[in-house]
Amino acid sequence: MSDQQTAPPAAAPALAGVGGTAESVAAEEPGAAVTGVEAIPGPVDAPGAPAHPVAVQDPVLSADPGAPAPVPPPRDRRRLRAALRWTSAVLVFAVLGGATAYAVTLPRRTDVPGLETPDDGRWTYPALRLPKLPAGAPRAYAGDRNPGGVHYADLRALLLPAARGAKVDRSFDGKDGWLPTARFIDAFEEADRKGLAERLPQAGLRHIAARAWDMPDGTRTEIYLLQFISAPYAEEGRFDMTTIAELSGAPIKVLDQDWKRGMTFPGDMSVSTYSEDKPRGREHVRSAFIVSGDTIAVIAMSKAGTQPAVPFHQTVLLQSQLLG
């Protein structure tokens, strides 16, 4: 291909100014006759002869009555198509506008009798985020990379945040976020505290992170995360807390019949939920023990009268997800 570029053809001279019509253009050309419809150039006579004007007959007026109507010029057809498009657009917008106006006047689903979604008592929690791990450290359920189920993340960052609208009990923050073991043991019946204080250190308890809050309806929630030196020691600690000790206010507990059995959890995580057996005292206590590798989560929820199952189960599931 040649390196030289062909110069573009020169633009044609303007025939009319802005807004000029075909009729005005034709009238300015010599030797052209103009009618109301179109201009047809006249014949050229011999040199020196006077010009003879040519009579042009209007095709519309001279057409036979039975002849078909003449086809409009292309310019008229373009105007017709443009008008049709604009008319269609106006109709479409009118329909959409009417539909929108109708939709916004419809009642909400919750306002229609029989279609409202009743509140099942679920709480609203902040968005959950898994904490960052130390460089190269695997998560608790990383298969062969972490066969002991060790939680390398900061245990305090694995605590479930308080539900929205709750009043947080700051006394559970402890020193540097770690709860003293004696404070945790106080959560159990007085007769069981001495034995538990002896057993937990023997089971290799390292430290405890805890959080507690009170909801406007009077529900009290306490969550404890206990980390042991290994998963077998954690299992031993769970055995002690569920067999030789009982949480305060719930001297007799039974398996939670409202808990849905058969739910699956990561790895060998085990979740056991309990409910205070009848006859109950002033408060109804529900509790859960989650064993996740080297860590045990103890959840206690209480309320005067009856403690609903829904927020309790929701809290247990969310805490399980953070440990998984």
Side-chain angles (χ1 to χ4, degrees):
M1 177 180 294
S2 174
D3 295 336
Q4 298 180 352
Q5 297 182 355
T6 305
L15 298 180
V18 177
T21 62
E23 290 80 7
S24 64
V25 172
E28 295 173 359
E29 296 178 358
V34 181
T35 67
V37 178
E38 59 181 343
I40 302 177
V44 180
D45 293 337
H52 298 280
V54 178
V56 179
Q57 193 174 16
D58 194 326
V60 177
L61 299 178
S62 61
D64 295 335
V71 179
R75 184 172 182 178
D76 293 343
R77 288 201 296 270
R78 287 195 299 269
R79 290 178 177 175
L80 179 60
R81 285 196 296 269
L84 290 176
R85 284 197 299 268
W86 279 106
T87 302
S88 301
V90 170
L91 290 175
V92 169
F93 280 110
V95 172
L96 291 177
T100 304
Y102 172 73
V104 298
T105 61
L106 289 176
R108 293 178 300 175
R109 179 182 175 85
T110 53
D111 295 335
V112 179
L115 294 180
E116 67 273 8
T117 303
D119 183 7
D120 60 359
R122 231 173 293 190
W123 291 345
T124 301
Y125 280 94
L128 302 184
R129 294 180 178 85
L130 293 175
K132 186 177 180 180
L133 292 170
R139 296 211 174 271
Y141 294 100
D144 295 338
R145 295 182 58 202
N146 191 358
V150 178
H151 287 83
Y152 290 100
D154 190 327
L155 201 66
R156 293 165 294 186
L158 293 176
L159 274 169
L160 181 68
R164 290 181 180 172
K167 182 179 180 181
V168 179
D169 187 345
R170 295 300 177 188
S171 67
F172 272 65
D173 294 344
K175 184 180 180 180
D176 298 329
W178 300 113
L179 188 75
T181 302
R183 178 70 183 274
F184 169 70
I185 293 176
D186 286 343
F188 290 81
E189 288 288 306
E190 186 175 359
D192 303 329
R193 294 172 188 171
K194 182 178 179 180
L196 201 58
E198 295 174 354
R199 295 283 298 173
L200 286 179
Q202 295 175 5
L205 176 64
R206 295 175 57 195
H207 43 229
I208 304 172
R211 178 165 291 142
W213 66 84
D214 296 284
M215 294 297 284
D217 66 351
T219 302
R220 171 77 172 181
T221 302
E222 298 178 3
I223 301 178
Y224 306 88
L225 298 185
L226 296 83
Q227 192 167 33
F228 295 79
I229 59 177
S230 67
Y233 279 99
E235 185 60 40
E236 182 179 346
R238 181 202 64 82
F239 178 81
D240 294 338
M241 286 183 284
T242 56
T243 57
I244 69 172
E246 298 292 345
L247 286 170
S248 180
I252 302 177
K253 65 178 183 296
V254 293
L255 287 175
D256 182 7
Q257 299 300 320
D258 296 325
W259 179 256
K260 295 181 180 179
R261 310 297 169 183
M263 287 188 292
T264 58
F265 295 91
D268 58 353
M269 180 187 295
S270 66
V271 180
S272 303
T273 60
Y274 301 90
S275 178
E276 181 184 1
D277 198 11
K278 295 179 180 180
R280 305 178 186 131
R282 188 181 67 85
E283 293 184 332
H284 178 198
V285 179
R286 292 183 185 267
S287 58
F289 295 84
I290 305 169
V291 182
S292 175
D294 64 346
T295 301
I296 299 176
V298 180
I299 301 175
M301 191 175 290
S302 59
K303 183 182 178 183
T306 301
Q307 169 58 54
V310 171
F312 171 68
H313 295 163
Q314 178 193 13
T315 303
V316 172
L317 288 172
L318 293 178
Q319 183 61 74
S320 300
Q321 291 176 9
L322 286 173
L323 292 175

